[in-house]
PDB file of all heavy atoms in Angstrom:
ATOM      1  N   HIS A 570      -8.192  10.069 -11.645  1.00  0.00           N
ATOM      2  CA  HIS A 570      -7.719   8.704 -11.918  1.00  0.00           C
ATOM      3  C   HIS A 570      -7.320   8.572 -13.388  1.00  0.00           C
ATOM      4  O   HIS A 570      -6.236   8.049 -13.726  1.00  0.00           O
ATOM      5  CB  HIS A 570      -8.845   7.730 -11.567  1.00  0.00           C
ATOM      6  CG  HIS A 570      -8.421   6.319 -11.361  1.00  0.00           C
ATOM      7  ND1 HIS A 570      -8.269   5.422 -12.392  1.00  0.00           N
ATOM      8  CD2 HIS A 570      -8.124   5.635 -10.224  1.00  0.00           C
ATOM      9  CE1 HIS A 570      -7.908   4.249 -11.906  1.00  0.00           C
ATOM     10  NE2 HIS A 570      -7.813   4.349 -10.592  1.00  0.00           N
ATOM     11  N   LYS A 571      -8.187   9.070 -14.281  1.00  0.00           N
ATOM     12  CA  LYS A 571      -7.912   8.963 -15.719  1.00  0.00           C
ATOM     13  C   LYS A 571      -6.727   9.824 -16.115  1.00  0.00           C
ATOM     14  O   LYS A 571      -5.877   9.406 -16.924  1.00  0.00           O
ATOM     15  CB  LYS A 571      -9.155   9.365 -16.514  1.00  0.00           C
ATOM     16  CG  LYS A 571      -9.016   9.164 -18.013  1.00  0.00           C
ATOM     17  CD  LYS A 571     -10.316   9.504 -18.741  1.00  0.00           C
ATOM     18  CE  LYS A 571     -10.163   9.322 -20.250  1.00  0.00           C
ATOM     19  NZ  LYS A 571     -11.419   9.690 -20.967  1.00  0.00           N
ATOM     20  N   ALA A 572      -6.633  11.039 -15.569  1.00  0.00           N
ATOM     21  CA  ALA A 572      -5.488  11.895 -15.869  1.00  0.00           C
ATOM     22  C   ALA A 572      -4.191  11.255 -15.380  1.00  0.00           C
ATOM     23  O   ALA A 572      -3.139  11.368 -16.028  1.00  0.00           O
ATOM     24  CB  ALA A 572      -5.675  13.266 -15.225  1.00  0.00           C
ATOM     25  N   SER A 573      -4.263  10.552 -14.264  1.00  0.00           N
ATOM     26  CA  SER A 573      -3.085   9.833 -13.755  1.00  0.00           C
ATOM     27  C   SER A 573      -2.658   8.738 -14.718  1.00  0.00           C
ATOM     28  O   SER A 573      -1.459   8.510 -14.943  1.00  0.00           O
ATOM     29  CB  SER A 573      -3.386   9.244 -12.377  1.00  0.00           C
ATOM     30  OG  SER A 573      -3.699  10.251 -11.433  1.00  0.00           O
ATOM     31  N   ASP A 574      -3.628   8.042 -15.305  1.00  0.00           N
ATOM     32  CA  ASP A 574      -3.306   7.022 -16.307  1.00  0.00           C
ATOM     33  C   ASP A 574      -2.580   7.640 -17.499  1.00  0.00           C
ATOM     34  O   ASP A 574      -1.644   7.049 -18.053  1.00  0.00           O
ATOM     35  CB  ASP A 574      -4.584   6.321 -16.779  1.00  0.00           C
ATOM     36  CG  ASP A 574      -5.178   5.407 -15.723  1.00  0.00           C
ATOM     37  OD1 ASP A 574      -4.453   5.053 -14.774  1.00  0.00           O
ATOM     38  OD2 ASP A 574      -6.363   5.058 -15.845  1.00  0.00           O
ATOM     39  N   GLU A 575      -3.017   8.842 -17.897  1.00  0.00           N
ATOM     40  CA  GLU A 575      -2.349   9.545 -19.004  1.00  0.00           C
ATOM     41  C   GLU A 575      -0.896   9.863 -18.632  1.00  0.00           C
ATOM     42  O   GLU A 575       0.016   9.735 -19.462  1.00  0.00           O
ATOM     43  CB  GLU A 575      -3.100  10.836 -19.331  1.00  0.00           C
ATOM     44  CG  GLU A 575      -4.506  10.640 -19.862  1.00  0.00           C
ATOM     45  CD  GLU A 575      -4.512  10.117 -21.292  1.00  0.00           C
ATOM     46  OE1 GLU A 575      -3.585  10.456 -22.056  1.00  0.00           O
ATOM     47  OE2 GLU A 575      -5.421   9.350 -21.624  1.00  0.00           O
ATOM     48  N   VAL A 576      -0.692  10.289 -17.390  1.00  0.00           N
ATOM     49  CA  VAL A 576       0.673  10.575 -16.925  1.00  0.00           C
ATOM     50  C   VAL A 576       1.540   9.319 -17.033  1.00  0.00           C
ATOM     51  O   VAL A 576       2.681   9.365 -17.510  1.00  0.00           O
ATOM     52  CB  VAL A 576       0.648  11.083 -15.467  1.00  0.00           C
ATOM     53  CG1 VAL A 576       2.072  11.122 -14.891  1.00  0.00           C
ATOM     54  CG2 VAL A 576       0.006  12.460 -15.387  1.00  0.00           C
ATOM     55  N   ILE A 577       1.003   8.205 -16.603  1.00  0.00           N
ATOM     56  CA  ILE A 577       1.779   6.952 -16.608  1.00  0.00           C
ATOM     57  C   ILE A 577       2.139   6.543 -18.033  1.00  0.00           C
ATOM     58  O   ILE A 577       3.288   6.136 -18.307  1.00  0.00           O
ATOM     59  CB  ILE A 577       0.986   5.840 -15.890  1.00  0.00           C
ATOM     60  CG1 ILE A 577       0.884   6.160 -14.387  1.00  0.00           C
ATOM     61  CG2 ILE A 577       1.652   4.480 -16.092  1.00  0.00           C
ATOM     62  CD1 ILE A 577      -0.105   5.281 -13.642  1.00  0.00           C
ATOM     63  N   GLU A 578       1.189   6.674 -18.952  1.00  0.00           N
ATOM     64  CA  GLU A 578       1.479   6.294 -20.338  1.00  0.00           C
ATOM     65  C   GLU A 578       2.547   7.197 -20.938  1.00  0.00           C
ATOM     66  O   GLU A 578       3.462   6.727 -21.639  1.00  0.00           O
ATOM     67  CB  GLU A 578       0.200   6.333 -21.173  1.00  0.00           C
ATOM     68  CG  GLU A 578      -0.801   5.248 -20.809  1.00  0.00           C
ATOM     69  CD  GLU A 578      -0.165   3.861 -20.840  1.00  0.00           C
ATOM     70  OE1 GLU A 578       0.461   3.502 -21.859  1.00  0.00           O
ATOM     71  OE2 GLU A 578      -0.285   3.138 -19.824  1.00  0.00           O
ATOM     72  N   LYS A 579       2.454   8.489 -20.694  1.00  0.00           N
ATOM     73  CA  LYS A 579       3.494   9.400 -21.167  1.00  0.00           C
ATOM     74  C   LYS A 579       4.830   9.075 -20.495  1.00  0.00           C
ATOM     75  O   LYS A 579       5.896   9.116 -21.129  1.00  0.00           O
ATOM     76  CB  LYS A 579       3.114  10.853 -20.879  1.00  0.00           C
ATOM     77  CG  LYS A 579       2.005  11.411 -21.742  1.00  0.00           C
ATOM     78  CD  LYS A 579       1.772  12.877 -21.409  1.00  0.00           C
ATOM     79  CE  LYS A 579       0.699  13.492 -22.306  1.00  0.00           C
ATOM     80  NZ  LYS A 579       0.493  14.926 -22.013  1.00  0.00           N
ATOM     81  N   GLY A 580       4.743   8.782 -19.202  1.00  0.00           N
ATOM     82  CA  GLY A 580       5.970   8.484 -18.456  1.00  0.00           C
ATOM     83  C   GLY A 580       6.692   7.265 -18.990  1.00  0.00           C
ATOM     84  O   GLY A 580       7.937   7.229 -19.004  1.00  0.00           O
ATOM     85  N   LYS A 581       5.956   6.265 -19.437  1.00  0.00           N
ATOM     86  CA  LYS A 581       6.595   5.067 -19.991  1.00  0.00           C
ATOM     87  C   LYS A 581       7.392   5.408 -21.248  1.00  0.00           C
ATOM     88  O   LYS A 581       8.506   4.910 -21.444  1.00  0.00           O
ATOM     89  CB  LYS A 581       5.538   4.011 -20.298  1.00  0.00           C
ATOM     90  CG  LYS A 581       4.967   3.336 -19.051  1.00  0.00           C
ATOM     91  CD  LYS A 581       3.932   2.282 -19.430  1.00  0.00           C
ATOM     92  CE  LYS A 581       3.390   1.564 -18.190  1.00  0.00           C
ATOM     93  NZ  LYS A 581       2.367   0.551 -18.536  1.00  0.00           N
ATOM     94  N   GLU A 582       6.837   6.265 -22.096  1.00  0.00           N
ATOM     95  CA  GLU A 582       7.564   6.648 -23.307  1.00  0.00           C
ATOM     96  C   GLU A 582       8.814   7.452 -22.958  1.00  0.00           C
ATOM     97  O   GLU A 582       9.896   7.207 -23.503  1.00  0.00           O
ATOM     98  CB  GLU A 582       6.659   7.467 -24.231  1.00  0.00           C
ATOM     99  CG  GLU A 582       5.547   6.659 -24.893  1.00  0.00           C
ATOM    100  CD  GLU A 582       4.908   7.415 -26.042  1.00  0.00           C
ATOM    101  OE1 GLU A 582       5.651   7.862 -26.942  1.00  0.00           O
ATOM    102  OE2 GLU A 582       3.673   7.559 -26.030  1.00  0.00           O
ATOM    103  N   LEU A 583       8.666   8.407 -22.053  1.00  0.00           N
ATOM    104  CA  LEU A 583       9.812   9.233 -21.670  1.00  0.00           C
ATOM    105  C   LEU A 583      10.857   8.392 -20.935  1.00  0.00           C
ATOM    106  O   LEU A 583      12.068   8.535 -21.177  1.00  0.00           O
ATOM    107  CB  LEU A 583       9.354  10.387 -20.781  1.00  0.00           C
ATOM    108  CG  LEU A 583       8.621  11.532 -21.518  1.00  0.00           C
ATOM    109  CD1 LEU A 583       7.926  12.441 -20.524  1.00  0.00           C
ATOM    110  CD2 LEU A 583       9.607  12.329 -22.374  1.00  0.00           C
ATOM    111  N   ALA A 584      10.408   7.517 -20.028  1.00  0.00           N
ATOM    112  CA  ALA A 584      11.360   6.672 -19.310  1.00  0.00           C
ATOM    113  C   ALA A 584      12.103   5.765 -20.276  1.00  0.00           C
ATOM    114  O   ALA A 584      13.325   5.532 -20.121  1.00  0.00           O
ATOM    115  CB  ALA A 584      10.620   5.841 -18.255  1.00  0.00           C
ATOM    116  N   GLY A 585      11.405   5.256 -21.293  1.00  0.00           N
ATOM    117  CA  GLY A 585      12.078   4.446 -22.311  1.00  0.00           C
ATOM    118  C   GLY A 585      13.155   5.226 -23.014  1.00  0.00           C
ATOM    119  O   GLY A 585      14.248   4.702 -23.311  1.00  0.00           O
ATOM    120  N   HIS A 586      12.871   6.489 -23.277  1.00  0.00           N
ATOM    121  CA  HIS A 586      13.874   7.346 -23.925  1.00  0.00           C
ATOM    122  C   HIS A 586      15.093   7.526 -23.018  1.00  0.00           C
ATOM    123  O   HIS A 586      16.246   7.392 -23.469  1.00  0.00           O
ATOM    124  CB  HIS A 586      13.239   8.702 -24.254  1.00  0.00           C
ATOM    125  CG  HIS A 586      14.176   9.706 -24.828  1.00  0.00           C
ATOM    126  ND1 HIS A 586      14.647   9.649 -26.130  1.00  0.00           N
ATOM    127  CD2 HIS A 586      14.788  10.785 -24.264  1.00  0.00           C
ATOM    128  CE1 HIS A 586      15.463  10.660 -26.350  1.00  0.00           C
ATOM    129  NE2 HIS A 586      15.563  11.369 -25.219  1.00  0.00           N
ATOM    130  N   PHE A 587      14.830   7.824 -21.730  1.00  0.00           N
ATOM    131  CA  PHE A 587      15.943   8.094 -20.815  1.00  0.00           C
ATOM    132  C   PHE A 587      16.725   6.824 -20.464  1.00  0.00           C
ATOM    133  O   PHE A 587      17.942   6.858 -20.254  1.00  0.00           O
ATOM    134  CB  PHE A 587      15.427   8.745 -19.527  1.00  0.00           C
ATOM    135  CG  PHE A 587      14.793  10.101 -19.746  1.00  0.00           C
ATOM    136  CD1 PHE A 587      13.609  10.443 -19.108  1.00  0.00           C
ATOM    137  CD2 PHE A 587      15.382  11.033 -20.593  1.00  0.00           C
ATOM    138  CE1 PHE A 587      13.030  11.668 -19.307  1.00  0.00           C
ATOM    139  CE2 PHE A 587      14.792  12.279 -20.803  1.00  0.00           C
ATOM    140  CZ  PHE A 587      13.615  12.601 -20.163  1.00  0.00           C
ATOM    141  N   LEU A 588      16.035   5.687 -20.411  1.00  0.00           N
ATOM    142  CA  LEU A 588      16.689   4.424 -20.050  1.00  0.00           C
ATOM    143  C   LEU A 588      17.145   3.633 -21.280  1.00  0.00           C
ATOM    144  O   LEU A 588      17.688   2.537 -21.149  1.00  0.00           O
ATOM    145  CB  LEU A 588      15.729   3.561 -19.219  1.00  0.00           C
ATOM    146  CG  LEU A 588      15.313   4.127 -17.860  1.00  0.00           C
ATOM    147  CD1 LEU A 588      14.267   3.229 -17.209  1.00  0.00           C
ATOM    148  CD2 LEU A 588      16.518   4.294 -16.937  1.00  0.00           C
ATOM    149  N   GLU A 589      16.903   4.239 -22.463  1.00  0.00           N
ATOM    150  CA  GLU A 589      17.293   3.616 -23.735  1.00  0.00           C
ATOM    151  C   GLU A 589      16.694   2.211 -23.853  1.00  0.00           C
ATOM    152  O   GLU A 589      17.384   1.220 -24.059  1.00  0.00           O
ATOM    153  CB  GLU A 589      18.818   3.577 -23.865  1.00  0.00           C
ATOM    154  CG  GLU A 589      19.443   4.970 -23.863  1.00  0.00           C
ATOM    155  CD  GLU A 589      20.957   4.912 -23.964  1.00  0.00           C
ATOM    156  OE1 GLU A 589      21.543   3.856 -23.637  1.00  0.00           O
ATOM    157  OE2 GLU A 589      21.549   5.915 -24.378  1.00  0.00           O
TER     158      GLU A 589
END
Side-chain angles (χ1 to χ4, degrees):
H570 199 275
K571 185 177 179 182
S573 299
D574 289 342
E575 295 287 328
V576 169
I577 292 168
E578 291 307 308
K579 288 183 177 182
K581 287 181 178 179
E582 289 194 54
L583 285 166
H586 176 74
F587 296 137
L588 296 175
E589 299 179 339

